[in-house]
Amino acid sequence: MTADLKTKFIIEKIKESKLSKADFSHLVFGKLFSDHMLVADYFDGTWQTPKIIPYQALPYEPSAKVFHYGQAVFEGMKAYKDTAGNVFLFRPEENFKRINQSAERLGMPSIPKEYFIDGIKELIKLDKDWIPTGMGESLYLRPVYIATENAVAASPSDSYRFMVITSPAAKYYSGDVKVKIEDRYSRACDGGVGYAKAAGNYAAQFYPTEKAKNEGFQQIIWTDSGQHKYLEEAGTMNMFFRIGDKLLTAPTIPESTRILPGVTRKSIIRLATDHNIDVEVRPIEIKEVIEAAKNGQLKEIFGAGTAATVLPIVGLKYKDYYTDLPKPDKSYADFLKNKIMDIQYNRAEDPYGWRIKID
Ligand code: COI
């Protein structure tokens, strides 16, 4: 534990829960928020006492640095409930490590582990009745970390707030997803912030993604900014390409600073490898995927991410070329999705110690 760290959470419970008014039968991803939130402020060079308080608006001035310079990073996690009502997190230490990796890149102080891990556990204990129990449903957790100093000078803030809000969630993508390989716009460049979960990485994707949506594609697969030659990630998910029986995915940090090192991606690589699927983590040329599509060797493409879990892609476009991607008989996406969800929802043994029970 860090010296002088104030690790006892102040808990202020909501006077009247909003739960009875929440409509769990029409859950839309990320629209409904539970009763409480976690907040921890950093100022005067130190972390202040963390609190769990009713979900509420923030008290910041328009001059707060986050609004001007986007000094903000976040995470995506989920809490799952099994059929007996036990509650679990999935690999929270990975998200803890990643938020501090992102924070470092944006010049922000490290968040103490006690605040992140213990804070999330306390918050979930308080709002566990908000975890939906339908197939594929969960409580989506959104840790977010922002610069709060009131100053328009372009320099790192001297004060920050770390927060966690939670949202009962159904599937992120409710319909079929077709993707377009982007060969004009870029999401990230070498030495940039692509590997960090920086808020601005997402805003930068909205305009090209909207253009792709207008052409009938729900997501973009980003390519390297230098040559637009290699396939990278989809912004909401890392990507996997099955050519023949081989599963390919692009490398993340340290090999590439452009791609988010997804927790689901890492878990899928491990599960696939342990089930004798040949996985290659290496730069993937657009050319080889399109050739494989043309000669029938491209069996499937799927995305992997916390919100999306494992998502089969049903169509692929590159320049003037388009192909449907019908699901193969023995789909790796289905197999791996079931394997990861078995662990997340406590439907099977967890030989990896990924599932963390909240008592
Ligand atoms: C997640 O998968 O948790 C993310 O943060 C992606 C976001 C676009 C919902």
Side-chain angles (χ1 to χ4, degrees), residues 89-105:
L89 288 171
F90 183 72
R91 310 190 76 177
E93 298 257 344
E94 294 292 326
N95 299 91
F96 168 66
K97 278 190 250 162
R98 189 172 63 183
I99 200 167
N100 278 338
Q101 188 169 285
S102 303
E104 181 186 39
R105 180 62 184 81

Side-chain angles (χ1 to χ4, degrees), residues 33 57-58 137 298 336:
F33 297 96
L58 302 176
E137 293 178 349
L298 179 65
L336 294 164

Side-chain angles (χ1 to χ4, degrees), residues 60-75:
Y60 298 115
E61 293 187 22
S63 56
K65 281 190 172 173
V66 64
F67 302 132
H68 304 267
Y69 307 114
Q71 203 185 7
V73 298
F74 70 94
E75 272 303 319

Side-chain angles (χ1 to χ4, degrees), residues 263-294:
V263 179
T264 311
R265 170 192 176 277
K266 186 172 174 180
S267 310
I268 290 294
I269 292 172
R270 181 70 197 269
L271 286 167
T273 308
D274 288 359
H275 287 87
N276 300 318
I277 294 173
D278 191 2
V279 183
E280 280 184 17
V281 180
R282 62 163 172 83
I284 306 158
E285 274 200 62
I286 302 172
K287 200 170 67 176
E288 71 178 295
V289 170
I290 299 301
E291 271 168 19
K294 288 181 178 166

Side-chain angles (χ1 to χ4, degrees), residues 29 74-77 140 142 172 197 202 235-236 305-308:
F29 186 91
F74 70 94
E75 272 303 319
M77 304 165 68
Y140 185 75
R142 174 48 65 84
Y172 188 76
K197 215 163 163 61
Y202 292 78
T236 56
T306 299

